[in-house]
Amino acid sequence: MTYLTISTPRRVKGKAIGTRLLDLLSLGRQRRALAQLDDRALEDIGITRSEACAEAARPIWDAPDSWCKHLY
C-alpha cells in the first residue's frame, strides 16, 4: 500500500516580518526618547548620560540580546 503525504507550507515559528519591523521601529523611537531625557529622569531609571547616549547611538537592527530569540 502506498501512502502519499501532502505537505502544506507552515509558517516559521516566531513573529511575522511586519511585526518584527514594527518592533524595530519602536526600538528606534524608544532610543531617541531616551536620548532626550534630562539628567534627573536618567538618574531615576539608573543610567548615566553616557550610557543613554551610547544606547541611543545604536542602530535599530542592533537589538538587545533578550530580543534576538524573539525576533528571528
Side-chain angles (χ1 to χ4, degrees):
M1 182 177 269
T2 304
Y3 293 97
L4 295 176
T5 302
I6 300 173
S7 62
T8 57
R10 293 188 180 184
R11 199 167 156 229
V12 177
K13 285 186 177 181
K15 293 183 178 182
I17 291 173
T19 303
R20 292 179 199 163
L21 180 60
L22 291 174
D23 286 346
L24 291 174
L25 292 174
S26 175
L27 178 60
R29 283 191 302 273
Q30 291 173 34
R31 286 179 173 162
R32 285 191 301 277
L34 180 65
Q36 295 175 356
L37 292 177
D38 63 6
D39 290 333
R40 185 174 175 207
L42 291 173
E43 185 179 342
D44 284 346
I45 61 174
I47 63 172
T48 65
R49 171 66 54 197
S50 62
E51 290 171 331
C53 290
E55 182 65 29
R58 292 171 63 180
I60 61 171
W61 58 84
D62 187 11
D65 290 336
S66 61
W67 279 35
C68 292
K69 62 183 171 190
H70 300 293
L71 286 177
Y72 304 104

